Amino acid sequence: MLMPSFRKHWNVCASDIARKTHNPIRSIVENIVVEPNPNKKVIALSIGDPTTFGNLIPPKEVVEAVQDSVASQLYNGYAPSTGHEMAREAVAEYSSNEFVKVNSKDVILCSGCSCALDLCITVLAREGQNILIPRPGFSIYRTLAEGLGITVKTYNLCPELGWEIDLDDLKEQIDESTAAIIINNPSNPCGSVFRRDHILDILDIAAHYYVPIIADEIYEHMVFPGRTFHSLASLSTEVPILSCSGLTKRFLVPGWRMGWIIIHDRQNVLEAEIRKGLQCLSQRIIGSNTIIQGALPKILRNTPQKFFDDVINTLYSHSKLAYNSIIKIPGLKPIMPDGAMYMMVYIDLQCFPEFNSDVEFVQRLLMEESVFCLPGQCFGCHSYMRLVITVPSDMLEEACQRIQEFCERHHYKTAKISRKNGFVNKILY
């Protein structure tokens, strides 16, 4: 017999974490409700997925490694929550160099780099504490932290300095409740690559205030000619660093969901609790994709350097194409990237008085020219838009041409003075 119910009606509520979790990009983009121009095919410069248009694909060595993993029948079951030992050894070998030696015990495999960031934020910060994130910066940092009741504070990047960190602003944001600093290098959305000296300055600040770093380095090694990628861990023996990366971008396989955390802790600052905490948190996801784990040693060891070089050359060529086209458009100022897959473009809204914000500019660009870029507000940065440069070159060229035509139609051009019937009139053309 059923006992009398202590509830009189259905009352199913979302948890605090669910209610606090939101994605700034989704909330902004979903409010852009205009229809594209039906007479022009949509060109999406908004999607940070290098595989979208089929012009960038992984090499045969990577595909064959996965085929071998499946055929072996060895990776159909569960793995240890932190990953198979041979897969972690492969990541450790891949991530080691003359400046830093990684051991497999320092590696935790995750379901993509976003999962790695989630685990790092969760293990380092508690409700009521704060983390520092870049502005402009990838919105998922805020999404992951605020859902847990962690306050997000931003430090500024300087566009006039190639998006280097405003170090004075970074120092000002640190307080007694700061649990971690997130450093994204190379950067999404800026495409910046930090100089070695600049990274050393960042590390000095972290060491002075005893604040650990979460290094989002998913675009590691994706740098253009003339620039060099320096991992944060390769330049510090003092600051504890949780480095997050994965296959996603460099190997052109975001859907395979293979990321990792590397614990860099030469002074054993994190030894007591953080390692154990990460292992416990990894048990919540019950490990990452085992088929890809089985393929990791071959992927990381056998992918030819020519593949990486070809991808970089393509992205560099595309970035120059976009920059050289947009720099000629009055009212827009592109900032040439040094790596990754993105370009930020400043919109001088005074030149376009019809639009009150970058969101309105991007909305009308989509409506009139069927070119979709993400407004800077998605990354906490007003009066900018982000272009993805992975689209085929002919599409990118067409998109830039459409952007130029759009700007020419809406630009507030130099006022001419004419005298008519004794009056002075400003003619806007």
Side-chain angles (χ1 to χ4, degrees):
M1 177 181 294
L2 295 174
M3 298 294 290
S5 174
F6 51 84
R7 292 177 178 157
K8 303 303 181 185
H9 56 82
W10 290 100
N11 184 25
V12 183
C13 300
S15 69
D16 287 344
I17 290 178
R19 286 189 289 104
K20 292 176 182 177
T21 299
H22 75 284
N23 187 321
I25 291 181
R26 292 267 61 84
S27 62
I28 291 172
V29 170
E30 287 170 3
N31 285 323
I32 299 178
V33 294
V34 301
E35 291 293 326
N37 186 333
N39 298 316
K40 296 186 177 184
K41 184 177 179 180
V42 173
I43 302 176
L45 303 183
S46 58
I47 305 171
D49 180 345
T51 71
T52 299
F53 297 94
N55 57 314
L56 295 174
I57 59 174
K60 63 181 180 62
E61 290 86 354
V62 169
V63 175
E64 289 170 354
V66 177
Q67 292 171 335
D68 292 345
S69 178
V70 173
S72 74
Q73 298 291 325
L74 296 175
Y75 305 103
N76 297 329
Y78 292 120
S81 63
T82 57
H84 284 299
E85 173 66 16
M86 58 83 189
R88 291 187 288 114
E89 286 179 353
V91 172
E93 178 185 327
Y94 170 78
S95 303
S96 295
N97 55 47
E98 60 181 308
F99 304 107
V100 58
K101 176 65 176 176
V102 179
N103 191 286
S104 61
K105 70 179 178 61
D106 302 319
V107 177
I108 295 172
L109 301 184
C110 304
S111 183
C113 189
S114 58
C115 175
L117 291 164
D118 189 9
L119 267 58
C120 290
I121 292 170
T122 303
V123 78
L124 288 177
R126 301 185 299 274
E127 185 172 6
Q129 291 186 303
N130 66 72
I131 62 169
L132 308 187
I133 70 171
R135 180 175 61 197
F138 188 35
S139 66
I140 199 165
Y141 310 139
R142 182 179 297 277
T143 299
L144 296 172
E146 291 183 342
L148 299 172
I150 299 164
T151 300
V152 171
K153 300 174 70 176
T154 60
Y155 59 85
N156 291 325
L157 307 183
C158 303
E160 69 278 8
L161 298 176
W163 299 110
E164 288 189 346
I165 294 174
D166 182 334
L167 298 175
D168 290 333
D169 188 49
L170 176 63
K171 287 184 283 189
E172 288 180 8
Q173 304 309 319
I174 299 173
D175 59 31
E176 292 182 357
S177 297
T178 301
I181 304 169
I182 295 182
I183 305 294
N184 178 207
N185 178 52
S187 166
N188 174 13
C190 301
S192 54
V193 179
F194 291 156
R195 296 177 295 107
R196 183 179 185 276
D197 288 348
H198 188 58
I199 295 175
L200 290 172
D201 290 338
I202 296 165
L203 290 166
D204 283 345
I205 293 171
H208 178 80
Y209 291 99
Y210 301 99
V211 181
I213 289 176
I214 299 172
D216 180 358
E217 296 178 334
I218 189 61
Y219 297 96
E220 60 179 344
H221 309 299
M222 294 184 70
V223 299
F224 298 157
R227 300 308 299 261
T228 302
F229 168 73
H230 300 280
S231 69
L232 272 81
S234 70
L235 299 178
S236 175
T237 59
E238 182 178 0
V239 178
I241 297 168
L242 299 180
S243 177
C244 301
S245 190
L247 295 182
T248 299
K249 307 297 185 179
R250 192 183 188 206
F251 292 83
L252 306 179
V253 288
W256 290 8
R257 311 310 303 141
M258 177 52 65
W260 50 76
I261 301 167
I262 299 177
I263 303 169
H264 299 279
D265 184 28
R266 301 183 194 179
Q267 305 301 322
N268 295 323
V269 174
L270 309 177
E271 194 66 38
E273 292 192 1
I274 299 304
R275 285 181 183 271
K276 181 180 178 181
L278 284 171
Q279 185 169 11
C280 291
L281 289 171
S282 72
Q283 293 168 4
R284 293 168 62 96
I285 63 170
I286 319 180
S288 62
N289 187 320
T290 55
I291 295 295
I292 307 304
Q293 286 189 43
L296 262 182
K298 290 182 179 179
I299 291 174
L300 296 178
R301 293 168 188 160
N302 297 346
T303 301
Q305 183 61 41
K306 184 180 185 304
F307 163 75
F308 298 130
D309 293 342
D310 288 346
V311 171
I312 290 298
N313 290 336
T314 296
L315 296 178
Y316 183 46
S317 173
H318 287 195
S319 67
K320 288 190 293 183
L321 187 160
Y323 179 86
N324 290 333
S325 297
I326 296 173
I327 194 67
K328 301 173 184 176
I329 303 174
L332 298 185
K333 181 182 178 182
I335 299 176
M336 180 67 184
D338 290 318
M341 313 184 315
Y342 312 101
M343 177 183 291
M344 289 288 275
V345 177
Y346 174 69
I347 307 167
D348 186 350
L349 291 171
Q350 290 186 344
C351 294
F352 306 101
E354 294 176 62
F355 312 124
N356 294 315
S357 68
D358 51 316
V359 174
E360 290 185 14
F361 183 96
V362 165
Q363 182 171 275
R364 286 286 293 277
L365 178 61
L366 174 61
M367 182 175 70
E368 295 181 22
E369 295 293 343
S370 296
V371 174
F372 188 27
C373 308
L374 285 185
Q377 289 186 38
C378 289
F379 310 99
C381 186
H382 295 257
S383 300
Y384 281 86
M385 61 180 177
R386 187 195 75 173
L387 279 59
V388 174
I389 58 173
T390 56
V391 302
S393 57
D394 58 338
M395 292 179 63
L396 185 59
E397 190 171 2
E398 171 68 17
C400 291
Q401 179 61 36
R402 294 189 199 176
I403 292 171
Q404 178 177 343
E405 293 171 1
F406 173 83
C407 290
E408 287 175 350
R409 284 199 304 274
H410 295 284
H411 192 274
Y412 181 101
K413 296 186 178 180
T414 305
K416 277 191 175 180
I417 304 299
S418 72
R419 294 183 178 273
K420 183 178 181 181
N421 298 326
F423 294 97
V424 175
N425 299 304
K426 283 189 177 180
I427 301 176
L428 307 180
Y429 69 101

